Amino acid sequence: MSTTITSTTEETKVQLNEYEQERVPRHRWLGPRHFLGTYSGEHVAGTEFVIGAAFVAWGATTQDILFGLLLGNFMAVMTWALITAPIATQSRLTVYEYLRRIAGPGFNKVYNVVNAVLFCALGGSMITVSASAVRILFDIPAQTHWYPDSSAFVAVALAVGAIVVAIAVLGFKKCAQFATVCSPWLLVIFITGGMVCLPVLSNLGNGEAFAGISQFTELADKYIWTGQTPDGSPSMTFWQIAAFAWVCNLAMHGSLGDMAILRFAKSPKYGYFSAFGMFFGHYLAWICAGIMGAGAMLVMNTSMSNLDAGGIAYAALGATGIIAVIIAGWTTSNPTIYRAGLAIQSIFPNKSRAYITTIIGIVTAIIACFPFVFTRLLDFVGYMGLLLAPVGAIVVSEHWIFKKIGLTPLWSKYQGNNLNMAALYTWICGVVFAISCEQLGILHLFFLFVPTYLLSIALYITFARMMGAGKQYTAEIQAYEEELSQEAARHAQEAKLEESVVEEKADKASLTEKISGAVALASLAAILIAASKVWFGGAEYALAFQTFKDFAIYPTLIYFVSATLWITQRDK
């Protein structure tokens, strides 16, 4: 009995070991499906309800939304694919560990604490999004202030947070599996939400039956993206929309946070899988969320300021909308808490990632009880990116630029410095520059990424050259390369012993896998068919709309049972 328990414990430790302080070995690299699921799940999320509705309140025009989001999301994909993924797969390190080697343990501790606090706040806002749906089941009022109005909401947020933390503790692979199950359904739910709300706009707004897609522009200009803000303030421009779409995930791509995920990728090309998140989530889902937000306002006869994500989804999708917001919040908060755990675990390397992630998760769940980030989410992600952008520029400089201009990468490490002062000065100057430009009105918050990034690169190269980066460190480089060689040899030995985690098998799909997969797809098709009846419902749209909301919950439940069985069989 004790031998079995010991063996199981050791196997669990092996599975939870994610090489937080060293390079990910080859036998732990993962194939494309993990990244497809992760990006689709994380970016087809609860924030989409918030951001999609915000564009309505910001007074954007239909044309600016359609084309501005197209450009901005394309730029985001290119940043992931051309900057983050190559650095991650070449170094095989998290940005936290890479930064420790570049800037020293002293700098790393300060940065990781800042990083973790920001990710905790972001993860907390996602739990708040999920809780905003659960609160409808208990008739808890919408939480539109920075503080909770109800002790019941606090209990709901803590309960939702406990589930999120449990998944994040299991590591990247489990987060990816969870996202793989959820993302196809979430995409279908956003699409069908948009489909059923367009007829609502036509019938309740215009007082006439919906005429089909040809009426989209007319309805969009009149009820969704009208070009007018509720308070008469200036409307959001094309370039502001494009810039926001690019920088809203700046912490993950330009600031290299997603090195934590992409270090497992077999190829840097997997960075292009971010397109599934950007164009299904930050394009299609934002547009559909805007339609749902406008539809919810008409159905409930209220303003956008009185609606939260749960309220919008429930008005558009009924009980299925509640599940959608819960799941959408989870798929974003899981990897966010995972990243925060890595940041803090880098400071306490003697503590396991699972232990640290649990502590971080508890803090995040407490933050979720106070919806202050949720109420200011769009400004928060902008400032979060600017705070972290100079550090991304430092890593980019050392990784790609230094050798080309005659400087030595990791020069501060070779000097034995606990704190790379060039990195510290660069970070401070970059943040001061960005915040000053924003506060003085020189540049809009969403436009500050590029000048801050370029300034930080120039400053770091200048400071580093002044402090000794141009010197030769032959002996130190040889010692470091020997250390890496020993690490590689140890990983090779581990690979032989860890047969359970060697490369993915190519066995033929089992009958159970095939059947469960087919049932899952059929469930999604049933939801789309039910939505199409509302789309083509004509004068009977009201009955079809209510029927859809009553019906969609059943194929949803069937989908999650069958999809979970499918992925369990697939990854056996």
Side-chain angles (χ1 to χ4, degrees):
M1 176 70 72
S2 60
T3 304
T4 303
I5 294 175
T6 301
S7 176
T8 302
T9 302
E10 290 301 317
E11 182 179 349
T12 301
K13 287 182 179 179
V14 167
Q15 295 299 329
L16 291 178
N17 178 21
E18 298 202 342
Y19 300 90
E20 296 87 359
Q21 276 79 51
E22 51 190 342
R23 297 177 302 175
V24 175
R26 181 179 293 273
H27 68 281
R28 286 295 185 90
W29 296 358
L30 298 172
R33 64 192 184 193
H34 295 91
F35 302 91
L36 172 60
T38 295
Y39 278 111
S40 299
E42 182 176 2
H43 298 286
V44 183
T47 46
E48 279 42 279
F49 287 102
V50 180
I51 296 173
F55 284 126
V56 177
W58 279 344
T61 67
T62 303
Q63 182 173 330
D64 286 347
I65 281 289
L66 296 178
F67 294 102
L69 292 183
L70 197 65
L71 174 61
N73 286 308
F74 172 78
M75 294 298 295
V77 172
M78 290 299 102
T79 309
W80 258 300
L82 302 180
I83 297 178
T84 315
I87 293 178
T89 53
Q90 289 166 20
S91 68
R92 296 293 169 185
L93 299 170
T94 67
V95 68
Y96 316 113
E97 175 59 22
Y98 202 177
L99 191 61
R100 187 185 68 81
R101 301 182 187 193
I102 288 173
F107 183 96
N108 192 53
K109 289 177 181 178
V110 176
Y111 173 77
N112 286 6
V113 169
V114 172
N115 203 297
V117 168
L118 292 172
F119 276 123
C120 282
L122 184 60
S125 73
M126 294 303 96
I127 295 175
T128 303
V129 168
S130 292
S132 76
V134 180
R135 60 97 188 162
I136 294 175
L137 299 175
F138 301 98
D139 199 27
I140 301 171
Q143 304 296 295
T144 56
H145 302 294
W146 69 267
Y147 54 88
D149 294 331
S150 166
S151 58
F153 177 81
V154 173
V156 167
L158 292 176
V160 171
I163 298 172
V164 170
V165 174
I167 297 172
V169 165
L170 295 175
F172 169 67
K173 191 171 182 179
K174 290 299 181 183
C175 289
Q177 289 174 330
F178 183 78
T180 300
V181 169
C182 297
S183 55
W185 176 81
L186 281 172
L187 178 61
V188 167
I189 290 302
F190 271 103
I191 292 173
T192 53
M195 287 177 63
V196 300
C197 281
L198 277 175
V200 169
L201 295 178
S202 182
N203 282 271
L204 292 185
N206 287 350
E208 57 186 37
F210 180 55
I213 194 63
S214 61
Q215 201 179 354
F216 171 75
T217 302
E218 174 198 339
L219 293 173
D221 289 341
K222 190 173 182 180
Y223 297 109
I224 311 172
W225 306 291
T226 62
Q228 302 293 323
T229 57
D231 59 1
S233 58
S235 302
M236 203 174 194
T237 67
F238 169 87
W239 291 109
Q240 287 175 327
I241 293 170
F244 175 80
W246 185 17
V247 306
C248 73
N249 281 122
L250 180 58
M252 284 70 169
H253 52 70
S255 300
L256 306 178
D258 268 1
M259 283 178 64
I261 292 173
L262 289 166
R263 65 195 171 111
F264 290 100
K266 289 183 177 179
S267 167
K269 293 180 181 179
Y270 293 178
Y272 286 105
F273 283 123
S274 60
F276 288 89
M278 293 302 98
F279 289 105
F280 289 146
H282 292 186
Y283 187 78
L284 186 59
W286 281 354
I287 289 173
C288 290
I291 298 172
M292 282 189 276
M297 285 192 293
L298 283 179
V299 170
M300 302 178 72
N301 191 27
T302 187
S303 65
M304 191 66 73
S305 61
N306 295 324
L307 292 171
D308 59 9
I312 292 172
Y314 185 68
L317 300 160
T320 306
I322 295 176
I323 297 177
V325 177
I326 294 171
I327 296 295
W330 287 351
T331 55
T332 299
S333 54
N334 287 339
T336 301
I337 294 174
Y338 172 74
R339 292 185 188 98
L342 287 176
I344 296 299
Q345 201 269 341
S346 180
I347 301 174
F348 303 101
N350 293 329
K351 299 292 185 180
S352 70
R353 180 196 55 80
Y355 173 80
I356 294 295
T357 303
T358 302
I359 301 300
I360 289 296
I362 293 172
V363 173
T364 303
I366 294 173
I367 291 174
C369 300
F370 298 86
F372 62 94
V373 177
F374 173 75
T375 57
R376 301 289 298 175
L377 180 62
L378 305 185
D379 288 338
F380 174 80
V381 295
Y383 283 113
M384 179 178 178
L386 290 180
L387 285 172
L388 303 180
V391 179
I394 290 168
V395 176
V396 168
S397 300
E398 289 244 2
H399 189 85
W400 272 330
I401 301 176
F402 269 32
K403 283 187 177 180
K404 295 179 181 179
I405 60 176
L407 302 182
T408 303
L410 304 184
W411 61 276
S412 185
K413 172 183 174 63
Y414 299 147
Q415 288 183 356
N417 297 329
N418 181 67
L419 176 61
N420 181 339
M421 295 304 296
L424 180 62
Y425 293 155
T426 298
W427 190 17
I428 293 173
C429 291
V431 171
V432 169
F433 167 79
I435 293 178
S436 298
C437 288
E438 196 273 335
Q439 291 295 315
L440 294 173
I442 297 173
L443 278 175
H444 190 278
L445 177 64
F446 301 157
F447 295 145
L448 285 167
F449 165 47
V450 173
T452 301
Y453 216 76
L454 294 178
L455 175 65
S456 298
I457 289 175
L459 287 174
Y460 184 65
I461 290 173
T462 302
F463 291 146
R465 190 186 296 274
M466 292 168 56
M467 296 180 187
K471 297 179 181 179
Q472 299 298 313
Y473 299 90
T474 305
E476 290 83 357
I477 291 174
Q478 289 177 348
Y480 181 62
E481 290 178 348
E482 177 61 27
E483 180 183 329
L484 296 181
S485 297
Q486 293 175 2
E487 180 186 277
R490 176 165 50 81
H491 288 166
Q493 184 64 28
E494 289 175 1
K496 296 178 182 179
L497 300 175
E498 297 177 16
E499 295 181 0
S500 63
V501 290
V502 182
E503 294 182 1
E504 302 161 30
K505 297 180 181 179
D507 297 336
K508 292 183 178 179
S510 67
L511 181 60
T512 303
E513 181 183 345
K514 291 179 180 178
I515 293 175
S516 59
V519 172
L521 290 175
S523 302
L524 297 180
I527 297 173
L528 286 167
I529 291 171
S532 68
K533 292 182 179 179
V534 184
W535 182 275
F536 296 110
E540 301 297 324
Y541 96 95
L543 177 60
F545 185 37
Q546 187 59 49
T547 301
F548 167 77
K549 291 197 288 186
D550 294 338
F551 168 77
I553 188 67
Y554 299 108
T556 288
L557 297 176
I558 293 171
Y559 170 81
F560 277 106
V561 172
S562 57
T564 301
L565 180 59
W566 167 77
I567 201 167
T568 302
Q569 293 294 313
R570 188 200 72 173
D571 290 348
K572 225 172 190 182

